[in-house]
Amino acid sequence: MNAPLKNNREAWLQGPSADGSIQCSAVPAKRKHPWRLILLGAPGVGKGTQAELLTERLGACHLSTGDVFRAAGQLRDCDQSPAMKAALDYMRRGELVPDSTVWEMVRERRACLLHCGGFILDGFPRTLGQAESLKELMATENISLSAVVNYELPLDEIVSRLSGRRTCEKCKSVFHVTERPPKVEGICDRCGARLIQREDDRPASIAVRMEAYDRSTAPLIQFYKNLGLLMPIPAKGSPDEILARTMEKLEETVSNK
Ligand code: AP5
């Protein structure tokens, strides 16, 4: 097992700077066979939670597009580009951000995808257009996906996970008021900052997000199945049980290659 990765993901969250000054303080170690994973699943199924746990196990970097938008939302108004302001409005309503904005943002950060430590993509791709763009970029760079993990859970359990979620406003660690409570109520175990409820975890936004998932993201299941990459995983049980299920399947996948 790898040593736990304390990657602050600065390069991913802030994007490239003209002078190259934005770099992660700790980056994943180079690996001969890096893991390159996509995590699929409805909003709230537990992708972010699993991505954090998988990062510790596999040494690859957790890259979430939702986290990039939320980080941009914390910038001063005058530092947000018009495209980013529009993206944040889509996000607050629970709608998907347009493909062109998302792809521009991911393309700018392609160094994170190409890093020899590997990646765990969480929340991207979310439409067939985004999946095609990623496929093209990876083919151009001569890198391939290890697997696409699809987490599956009944809707009522997903809604309860979303409504109880609390997120650290600083380091973005994720908790749940009953299922994964912090040691001190309202305070992040990892960095001591305040825990907050996400704006898009209100009931009206949750309904819009579920609808966007069914319409735009669920078709990716067939897309990756056709490519022979899909790995369905039941997302019932504790985070550690789901992690163990995921690791078992990933190890099987590798030994069959
Ligand atoms: P994003 O941040 O990607 O959100 P999401 O996909 O809606 O997923 P969530 O972060 O809500 O849930 P999760 O599956 O990560 O669950 P978590 O681990 O937190 O996107 C947000 C928005 O940004 C989108 O709506 C869109 O507007 C925009 N966006 C982002 N990417 C985009 C893209 N590519 N294209 C277009 N628009 C894009 O877990 C949920 C809760 O459950 C937590 O409280 C957790 O502690 C708890 N929990 C987790 N596992 C368990 C368990 N096993 N048992 C009990 N509780 C658990």
Side-chain angles (χ1 to χ4, degrees):
M1 198 168 81
N2 301 294
L5 181 70
K6 300 281 180 227
N7 186 353
N8 59 9
R9 301 178 296 159
E10 251 170 349
W12 176 254
L13 294 178
Q14 295 183 40
S17 53
D19 60 359
S21 59
I22 298 175
Q23 287 181 0
C24 296
S25 55
V27 292
K30 288 184 181 177
R31 302 172 71 87
K32 198 167 168 209
H33 299 292
W35 287 96
R36 296 193 184 99
L37 300 176
I38 291 175
L39 306 189
L40 280 185
V45 76
K47 301 180 297 294
T49 303
Q50 290 304 313
E52 278 186 33
L53 298 172
L54 286 165
T55 291
E56 289 182 10
R57 284 293 184 96
L58 305 175
C61 198
H62 173 194
L63 306 180
S64 152
T65 39
D67 284 349
V68 175
F69 291 128
R70 282 183 285 279
Q74 288 179 353
L75 295 176
R76 288 177 310 171
D77 197 56
C78 56
D79 291 333
Q80 290 174 8
S81 67
M84 192 49 84
K85 280 185 187 159
L88 292 170
D89 281 339
Y90 281 104
M91 191 172 156
R92 282 184 200 109
R93 292 194 297 267
E95 292 170 28
L96 292 187
V97 176
D99 278 359
S100 53
T101 310
V102 175
W103 181 242
E104 179 58 23
M105 193 187 86
V106 172
R107 210 178 47 81
E108 275 183 350
R109 291 162 171 76
R110 65 188 172 282
C112 297
L113 294 173
L114 304 181
H115 191 275
C116 327
F119 59 73
I120 300 169
L121 275 172
D122 159 19
F124 177 87
R126 237 180 171 97
T127 64
L128 286 171
Q130 294 177 17
E132 292 286 5
S133 299
L134 177 67
K135 189 165 168 251
E136 223 170 274
L137 175 88
M138 292 186 72
T140 309
E141 299 292 346
N142 206 18
I143 56 174
S144 53
L145 286 169
S146 316
V148 176
V149 182
N150 184 36
Y151 289 112
E152 301 170 331
L153 194 69
L155 185 64
D156 56 335
E157 290 188 47
I158 290 182
V159 171
S160 123
R161 285 187 187 180
L162 281 176
S163 42
R165 170 166 51 193
R166 298 293 180 271
T167 308
C168 173
E169 63 180 353
K170 193 165 167 218
C171 75
K172 314 297 167 212
S173 293
V174 175
F175 299 84
H176 190 276
V177 285
T178 54
E179 303 298 327
R180 248 192 144 191
K183 291 188 187 107
V184 179
E185 195 186 329
I187 302 293
C188 176
D189 287 355
R190 229 181 241 183
C191 74
R194 206 165 55 108
L195 298 181
I196 52 169
Q197 183 164 34
R198 270 170 48 173
E199 270 183 280
D200 60 350
D201 279 348
R202 287 168 294 133
S205 302
I206 292 177
V208 176
R209 287 161 68 196
M210 291 302 174
E211 206 264 319
Y213 170 78
D214 283 339
R215 189 182 58 243
S216 305
T217 311
L220 293 183
I221 297 172
Q222 193 58 45
F223 178 86
Y224 286 115
K225 199 172 183 182
N226 293 346
L227 293 174
L229 288 164
L230 195 75
M231 216 180 87
I233 301 282
K236 270 186 180 287
S238 71
D240 284 339
E241 285 165 349
I242 301 161
L243 174 70
R245 231 171 267 151
T246 310
M247 287 301 299
E248 197 182 319
K249 278 281 195 166
L250 285 175
E251 276 153 19
E252 247 175 58
T253 308
V254 168
S255 60
N256 290 338
K257 273 189 180 168

